[in-house]
Amino acid sequence: MILKFFSKIFPLIRRKKKERNEFFEYRLNSIKDLVGTSIKNSEIFIQALTHRSALYIDHIPSLKLSNERLEFLGDSVLNLIVSDYVFNNLKELDEGILTKIRSRFVNKSVLADVAQKINLTSLLIISENTASAIESGGKSVISDALEALIGAIYIDMGYDVAKNFVYKFIISPNLYLVHDVDQNYKSQLLEFAQANKLDLPKYEVIKEEGPDHSKIFTVQVSIDGKPLGIGKGSTKKIADQEAAYQALLKIKHNSIEFI
């Protein structure tokens, strides 16, 4: 009788263990692909993906901690990395403007968009109600999870890897946030060309990266055949504006001559 009981229970335990491993391995492999390096502490990344709504759901493998503490850490790491970027790359701007620019990069809507583009939503461990809230447009859960993931990367892989991750997925695709989005730099560059009787600015897409749903465009603007600026953005319009801004900076500092 006892042998018969164990002959039934052991296969069930093995099946449950296999299901648990597959549940986690898919997520860990996806994170490894995103970050581009091996994971040392898998538990910290599972925690980063775990929303508090999933802690006590029967059909989800047993979990102990939500991602709230990692979110706290990741928020600080993200702010440091963005602060470091704007401080070292925007040397002509004062502290007040730098603060505003940083706030744009760490905005919940921007982070939620980044999380969607890297398919972080599909990796989250959440309840059905929370998943429905995300589908209805809720952004805090996925933006918080992205911060938690940054915190986990920092703990497991160090600051440099976290910095590379933030540069690749948050800063580089959103460089338009550095500038005043209300400014029309293309119009300003056009006015400059017309006032100086030059050819009209020519915008050319010189590179496209990423899948169709998450492309990054690189645009170069030229006047009279002289390359003046290069810009990147998630749309051609944003990349055009960035390129025009870079061109205006070059003209402002007299680093190019038109004959």
Side-chain angles (χ1 to χ4, degrees), residues 133-175:
I134 293 174
E135 290 177 3
S136 301
K139 295 185 176 182
S140 63
V141 172
I142 50 177
S143 62
D144 291 349
L146 180 59
E147 290 178 332
L149 177 58
I150 292 168
I153 294 170
Y154 171 72
I155 289 174
D156 192 62
M157 303 168 183
Y159 178 79
D160 287 341
V161 178
K163 180 179 177 179
N164 290 339
F165 178 87
V166 171
Y167 270 49
K168 181 177 180 179
F169 294 111
I170 299 176
I171 294 177
S172 293
N174 295 294
L175 281 176

Side-chain angles (χ1 to χ4, degrees), residues 7 9 16 43 69 75 80-81 104 113 139 144 156 158 174 209 246:
S7 67
I9 200 68
K16 291 277 187 183
E43 291 298 322
R69 282 174 54 83
D75 174 72
L80 174 59
I81 293 170
R104 291 175 179 173
D113 289 342
K139 295 185 176 182
D144 291 349
D156 192 62
N174 295 294
E209 304 171 87
Q246 295 300 329

Side-chain angles (χ1 to χ4, degrees), residues 22 33 36 41 47 70 73 84-85 111 118 130 136 139 144 150 190 209 218 226 229:
E22 290 175 351
D33 291 341
N41 181 359
Q47 183 184 342
L70 284 172
L73 177 63
D84 180 68
Y85 173 82
L111 297 183
I118 65 175
T130 305
S136 301
K139 295 185 176 182
D144 291 349
I150 292 168
L190 176 61
E209 304 171 87
T218 302
K226 296 180 184 291

Side-chain angles (χ1 to χ4, degrees), residues 46-93:
I46 295 302
Q47 183 184 342
L49 298 174
T50 303
H51 187 258
R52 65 176 180 273
S53 65
L55 291 180
Y56 306 105
I57 297 177
D58 291 338
H59 68 272
I60 292 179
S62 58
L63 303 163
K64 296 178 181 179
L65 298 170
S66 75
N67 60 12
E68 290 171 335
R69 282 174 54 83
L70 284 172
E71 175 206 336
F72 165 80
L73 177 63
D75 174 72
S76 298
V77 174
L78 174 61
N79 272 274
L80 174 59
I81 293 170
V82 174
S83 296
D84 180 68
Y85 173 82
V86 298
F87 179 82
N88 287 299
N89 288 276
L90 304 171
K91 296 179 181 179
E92 74 278 11
L93 302 180

Side-chain angles (χ1 to χ4, degrees), residues 1 15 31 38 49 70 75 77 79 82 112 124 152 173 178 191 230:
M1 191 73 174
R15 189 172 76 248
I31 290 173
S38 59
L49 298 174
L70 284 172
D75 174 72
V77 174
N79 272 274
V82 174
L124 298 185
V178 168
E191 290 171 7
I230 290 178

Side-chain angles (χ1 to χ4, degrees), residues 20-28 46 61-63 125:
R20 174 187 168 87
N21 289 341
E22 290 175 351
F23 181 87
F24 288 149
E25 282 175 8
Y26 158 70
R27 288 163 170 79
L28 294 171
I46 295 302
S62 58
L63 303 163
I125 305 171

